[in-house]
Amino acid sequence: MVSLGARVFLLLLLALGAWGKTLPSYIKPCSIKLSDKRMSECALKSAREAWPIVFYGDPEYNTPSLNPLHLDRLVVIDGKGPLGMRLITTDVKLYGLNSTIINSTTHVTNPPTDTYVITIPNLQILAKYNVTGRILLLPIVGQGNVEMVLKYVTVAYQFDWKLEKLEDGITYYLPQPGARLDLDVQGMTVHLDNLFNGDKALLELTNNFLNEEWREVFDSLQPSFAKAISEVITRILSGIFRQVPFKEAFTDVEE
Ligand SMILES: *[C@@H]1O[C@H](CO)[C@@H](O)[C@H](O)[C@H]1NC(C)=O
Ligand SMILES: *[C@@H]1O[C@H](CO)[C@@H](O)[C@H](O)[C@H]1NC(C)=O
Ligand SMILES: *[C@@H]1O[C@H](CO)[C@@H](O)[C@H](O)[C@H]1NC(C)=O
């Protein structure tokens, strides 16, 4: 006879998912026994099938919605480089992640490491901006809305996995912090709206300058952009794999 208290506790545990979940239905598990090459192929197929659903976010697994992806703040130009200005964006929304192409996944078992290469053909970033600095010796100060469009953003994301026993005594297969991320882009446009104290000519000059120097703008944007992208991918992977025990994450784990 199980006491009422124990039963309530049991229900609470179940409600909290404290015994670990299974993989979300939209992620197909692979066999743990596959060779690296076959595992890479299985992971690619699984990731491509899951993406259109992962994209909408899943509160049950704490994964964020990417439709659009929200960021509180993104440093576009940090004020230290050759561009001579500081351009900070806030209330940032990224559109176009629904068209993400997953080019490849490469799995290595020993030590366990995955590399994902993805391409976003058309990434639109809408945000509020705040700019201070100088352009061609003229002081500029202003704020308004900015639209940036990045063409063919390629992201190579590499991270390690580790088997870890969590507080619940269950073994999980967890993505490790310290992912390596490489970014490239084929082109970029920047458009600041609003006027610098009503000065249309100065606004046009600034937009033209930023578009001509888009490589510099991208290089300056790269560190904070890479960090943001990396955090999102980590959030998705951790959201899922911190809740799904190792034996549920693959089809045939023997314990
Ligand atoms: C992505 O979303 C945009 C805007 O909602 C839409 O125009 C586009 O067709 C979508 N692309 C895909 C591949 O679903
Ligand atoms: C990724 O795939 C797209 C579509 O097939 C292709 O245009 C792009 O060049 C590929 N990128 C890489 C890095 O393989
Ligand atoms: C814009 O940036 C300047 C300089 O960093 C700062 O003093 C100002 O408060 C910012 N304005 C807004 C609206 O964030």
Side-chain angles (χ1 to χ4, degrees):
M1 181 77 198
V2 186
S3 77
L4 183 64
R7 256 185 292 169
V8 169
F9 181 63
L10 212 76
L11 283 174
L12 206 69
L13 272 182
L14 285 174
L16 292 172
W19 285 338
K21 292 185 174 145
T22 55
L23 274 180
S25 56
Y26 46 83
I27 298 184
K28 300 243 171 65
C30 299
S31 163
I32 191 80
K33 292 171 183 158
L34 295 177
S35 65
D36 284 358
K37 184 168 173 289
R38 297 281 309 285
M39 181 69 91
S40 303
E41 289 164 4
C42 179
L44 178 61
K45 189 163 176 290
S46 183
R48 281 181 175 163
E49 283 174 14
W51 182 257
I53 300 163
V54 168
F55 168 73
Y56 288 101
D58 187 344
E60 207 187 317
Y61 292 88
N62 298 326
T63 65
S65 169
L66 309 176
N67 180 35
L69 171 63
H70 285 259
L71 304 172
D72 290 337
R73 186 183 142 94
L74 194 63
V75 176
V76 180
I77 303 174
D78 62 10
K80 294 182 197 107
L83 291 167
M85 63 178 89
R86 183 168 175 271
L87 178 67
I88 308 291
T89 58
T90 51
D91 194 10
V92 184
K93 295 188 187 77
L94 280 70
Y95 292 89
L97 293 165
N98 61 334
S99 305
T100 298
I101 298 156
I102 303 177
N103 288 98
S104 63
T105 70
T106 308
H107 179 79
V108 175
T109 306
N110 199 3
T113 302
D114 271 0
T115 307
Y116 298 159
V117 177
I118 65 174
T119 302
I120 307 148
N122 194 65
L123 184 66
Q124 184 195 30
I125 305 177
L126 300 179
K128 296 195 185 334
Y129 74 83
N130 179 358
V131 66
T132 51
R134 280 174 191 282
I135 172 169
L136 309 174
L137 301 178
L138 298 167
I140 57 168
V141 177
Q143 41 197 274
N145 298 309
V146 57
E147 178 189 21
M148 292 179 279
V149 178
L150 277 63
K151 293 289 183 189
Y152 282 89
V153 184
T154 304
V155 181
Y157 181 82
Q158 188 182 65
F159 64 101
D160 303 327
W161 296 93
K162 201 172 150 200
L163 284 174
E164 268 181 61
K165 197 171 267 193
L166 295 186
E167 311 79 58
D168 57 8
I170 297 173
T171 302
Y172 291 80
Y173 189 57
L174 296 178
Q176 297 300 297
R180 281 84 56 202
L181 191 141
D182 274 327
L183 272 178
D184 195 20
V185 69
Q186 299 294 313
M188 177 178 188
T189 58
V190 184
H191 183 82
L192 305 176
D193 82 356
N194 207 10
L195 313 172
F196 297 110
N197 300 319
D199 192 333
K200 264 195 173 131
L202 191 48
L203 179 68
E204 198 180 315
L205 183 73
T206 307
N207 276 325
N208 288 344
F209 174 75
L210 293 176
N211 283 289
E212 273 160 28
E213 301 295 330
W214 71 266
R215 255 295 157 198
E216 294 281 0
V217 177
F218 181 75
D219 287 347
S220 180
L221 171 66
Q222 187 152 342
S224 59
F225 188 62
K227 187 162 172 277
I229 297 282
S230 183
E231 277 170 10
V232 170
I233 301 176
T234 305
R235 245 181 91 190
I236 294 171
L237 291 169
S238 301
I240 295 169
F241 288 98
R242 290 193 83 82
Q243 295 197 67
V244 177
F246 175 49
K247 67 178 168 51
E248 298 289 346
F250 295 91
T251 54
D252 43 13
V253 174
E254 287 154 18
E255 281 186 309

